[in-house]
Amino acid sequence: MKDLKLKVDEGTCTKCGLCADDCPTRVVIVKPGGYPEVTAGREDQCIACQHCLAVCPSGALSVFGLDPGDSEPWDASKAPSPESMGWLVRNRRSARKYRQENVPAAVINELLDDLQYVPTGGNRRHLRFTVVDDLGAMARLLGRIVTLCEKAVAQGGGSRLAAGVVKYYRRDGHDALFRGAPHLLVVSASREQGTAAQDVSLALAYFELLAASRGLGTCWCGFLSLIEAAVPGVREELGLAPDDTFYSLYFGFPAVRYGRAPQRRGTSQVCRWS
Ligand SMILES: Cc1cc2nc3c(=O)[nH]c(=O)nc-3n(C[C@H](O)[C@H](O)[C@H](O)COP(=O)(O)O)c2cc1C
């Protein structure tokens, strides 16, 4: 049975019941006139979302040994405006040219810290983030993948894409896979988790926007997934377990500036249920 370590500061708790109202699995209850408590026998239903801690107006509730005083306080003045969120979505671009310069480690770490807040199905928080930290490591990874592609193609396997990546790399060192980006983020999760594919994509989508807000360029790397599916050894090179699902993007300081956004209004089908 899970130990939720629910603790209530009876000096500041107003018994308002918001913690119980907001608990998605009805683990926390407030009996009439009582303080919040855990429903006996429902401990294992807790998904550790911390909504009880987060919603409490007086910060009176602690769970899992966490001090609500250590949480970032709500401050509406920090929220991006609808205009700036929309601007970011419309003006982030897939970057395919990069300055040959590493993103400072502190910036990468802050981005990874923010990724801890991305939602996951059932709050499973089962994602693994694998980062390639610098240009040197990217060059080594590219070299190894090219070698694996070469071997697969020589043995009559691989794919046209794998053959193309090898051809351009061997011809003049051109990187058709990661486009010369200094960093790669691989997000992976065990397929056994029901929402693994959604959680992986969501983390990458959030990362893309977080990176764009800092002036960084990103590009989702579908090519790496295609190559992994066709070339033996790439999965192992990326440190992935056999049942992991993954997707990736590369990122860095973009070497291209765009003077305007493309025009996409009306290009997706919008349907209304009736
Ligand atoms: C799932 C996914 C996989 C992608 N894979 C690649 C890729 O392997 N190589 C590449 O150059 N661009 C890749 N892209 C970028 C798309 O081509 C790009 O998003 C699209 O052309 C729209 O351009 P924009 O992102 O600048 O708006 C991928 C995008 C997505 C969403």
Side-chain angles (χ1 to χ4, degrees):
M1 199 187 295
K2 274 186 202 162
D3 180 9
L4 311 190
K5 299 197 181 89
L6 188 90
K7 286 212 176 74
V8 178
D9 178 346
E10 296 188 359
T12 49
C13 173
T14 62
K15 304 179 181 174
C16 67
L18 287 176
C19 50
D21 284 349
D22 206 50
C23 177
T25 50
R26 291 179 292 114
V27 170
V28 178
I29 51 164
V30 177
K31 290 181 184 154
Y35 290 107
E37 57 183 294
V38 174
T39 319
R42 285 192 66 81
E43 292 86 347
D44 287 345
Q45 307 302 314
C46 174
I47 61 169
C49 64
Q50 299 179 31
H51 275 216
C52 50
L53 174 149
V55 77
C56 178
S58 53
L61 189 146
S62 160
V63 69
F64 302 117
L66 298 168
D67 179 350
D70 291 338
S71 285
E72 180 175 12
W74 172 256
D75 178 355
S77 70
K78 289 189 176 162
S81 67
E83 288 77 17
S84 60
M85 277 302 285
W87 182 90
L88 197 64
V89 170
R90 292 188 300 274
N91 285 280
R92 55 103 230 135
R93 289 275 68 74
S94 293
R96 299 188 181 90
K97 286 197 171 68
Y98 290 90
R99 282 172 18 208
Q100 292 307 287
E101 183 185 324
N102 295 326
V103 173
V107 171
I108 296 179
N109 287 338
E110 282 173 21
L111 289 167
L112 293 173
D113 280 350
D114 283 346
L115 282 193
Q116 309 296 320
Y117 290 79
V118 173
T120 50
N123 196 39
R124 280 183 281 275
R125 322 222 62 79
H126 55 120
L127 298 176
R128 197 168 59 242
F129 303 111
T130 305
V131 186
V132 180
D133 267 330
D134 56 49
L135 279 159
M138 277 299 270
R140 284 199 305 282
L141 177 63
L142 178 65
R144 287 191 200 160
I145 292 176
V146 167
T147 304
L148 290 167
C149 289
E150 215 160 24
K151 199 169 140 199
V153 171
Q155 290 171 351
S159 61
R160 266 184 69 189
L161 176 63
V165 166
V166 172
K167 182 175 128 190
Y168 291 117
Y169 183 81
R170 292 294 179 222
R171 196 181 62 189
D172 54 12
H174 177 72
D175 173 6
L177 183 59
F178 304 131
R179 316 259 187 185
H183 305 283
L184 178 73
L185 171 65
V186 179
V187 184
S188 57
S190 166
R191 282 196 194 92
E192 278 180 21
Q193 305 290 342
T195 55
Q198 289 80 0
D199 297 340
V200 163
S201 295
L202 205 54
L204 289 166
Y206 273 63
F207 186 89
E208 180 175 34
L209 292 178
L210 288 164
S213 76
R214 291 170 178 261
L216 295 173
T218 59
C219 187
W220 290 56
C221 194
F223 283 7
L224 183 59
S225 294
L226 293 172
I227 284 186
E228 183 280 326
V231 176
V234 173
R235 169 164 287 264
E236 291 72 15
E237 195 59 66
L238 296 170
L240 299 168
D243 80 329
D244 281 346
T245 187
F246 84 99
Y247 221 85
S248 62
L249 56 69
Y250 41 85
F251 65 98
F253 292 109
V256 176
R257 274 184 190 282
Y258 297 93
R260 62 201 56 76
Q263 299 176 29
R264 295 202 178 136
R265 285 227 158 80
T267 53
S268 300
Q269 213 186 343
V270 178
C271 305
R272 294 217 156 70
W273 180 87
S274 61

